[in-house]
Each structure stands twice: as structure tokens, then as C-alpha cells.
Amino acid sequence: MYQPLFINWQDRNNTGIAIIDEQHRGILSIINSLYFLTEKGMSDDALRSLISDAIRSYSRIHFITEERILQATGYPDLEGHKEMHRKLSQETEHMDRVAIMENDSKPLLIFLKKWWVEHINEQDMLYVPHLREHG
């Protein structure tokens, strides 16, 4: 049985920073797991909660990693990037609460896909030249 992924990793998603790319793939994998289970009707409250916790926890690990790398290399827009991370965390928690209250993960999935793909391909790519020069 073929089940397409909700988010497919593409070469353009690569920053060229191994740990960052690995963590990005990990986050997208967790989102794909939530999608798969939701589509198969297996996303009960306990499972959704577990996956949502995994998304939030792994995102925090990723944000700390990314911010420390940017800090160590003197990235000039570190505070702006940290603020984006704070906003994503807050928006994710809000969307997760809505998903639980409405018993519907689809708006959460759409939000996560849009935010993460845009963040990786737009915002994270802004620091790549700096890291190549200073990393």
C-alpha cells in the first residue's frame, strides 16, 4: 500500500550544515508521522498528544542547536532568528490546543508544513552564507 508523505525532503531543503539538516529532516519526519496516523484514522488523543510533544521537544532541541551555532559564529541577526523560534513555539502550542479541542489535526498539520518548509527554505537559508564564511 502506497501512502505519500505529507512533506517530502528535497535537495533545496539542505543548508549544507549536517546537524541542522539532520534535525530538519527529523522534525519533518515527526510531522509526516502525525499526518500518516491522522489519515489512517489512528490519531487518538493519546497518540496525538505523544506526537505533539515530540514535535515541540524536538523543535526545542533544534532551536537550541541552531541558536548556539549562530551565536558561536557571531551571526548578526541572531536575536531576530531567536524571535522567529519563539513565535513558532507559541503558534505551535496554540494550534496544538485547537487540534485537541476540535479533535482535528489537519489545521495543525497545514500550519506545521507551511511554517517549517518556509522557515527552512527562506529564513534558515539566510544564515547559510554567514556560516560558510565563519563556520
Side-chain angles (χ1 to χ4, degrees), residues 17 20 66 70 75 81 123-131:
I17 300 122
I20 299 298
E66 196 173 82
L70 296 176
Y75 183 62
H81 206 79
Q123 300 303 319
D124 284 356
M125 292 303 170
L126 293 175
Y127 65 63
V128 170
H130 173 84
L131 291 183

Side-chain angles (χ1 to χ4, degrees), residues 15 17 30 40-41 48 82 84 91 93 109:
T15 63
I17 300 122
I30 296 168
K40 294 298 177 194
R48 182 177 33 240
K82 286 170 116 174
M84 277 189 292
E91 290 174 36
E93 286 184 31
L109 283 162

Side-chain angles (χ1 to χ4, degrees), residues 25-35 51-52 54-55 58:
R25 283 189 295 269
I27 291 164
L28 298 186
S29 177
I30 296 168
I31 296 168
N32 280 330
S33 295
L34 178 59
Y35 171 75
I51 293 172
S52 294
I55 291 169
Y58 202 78

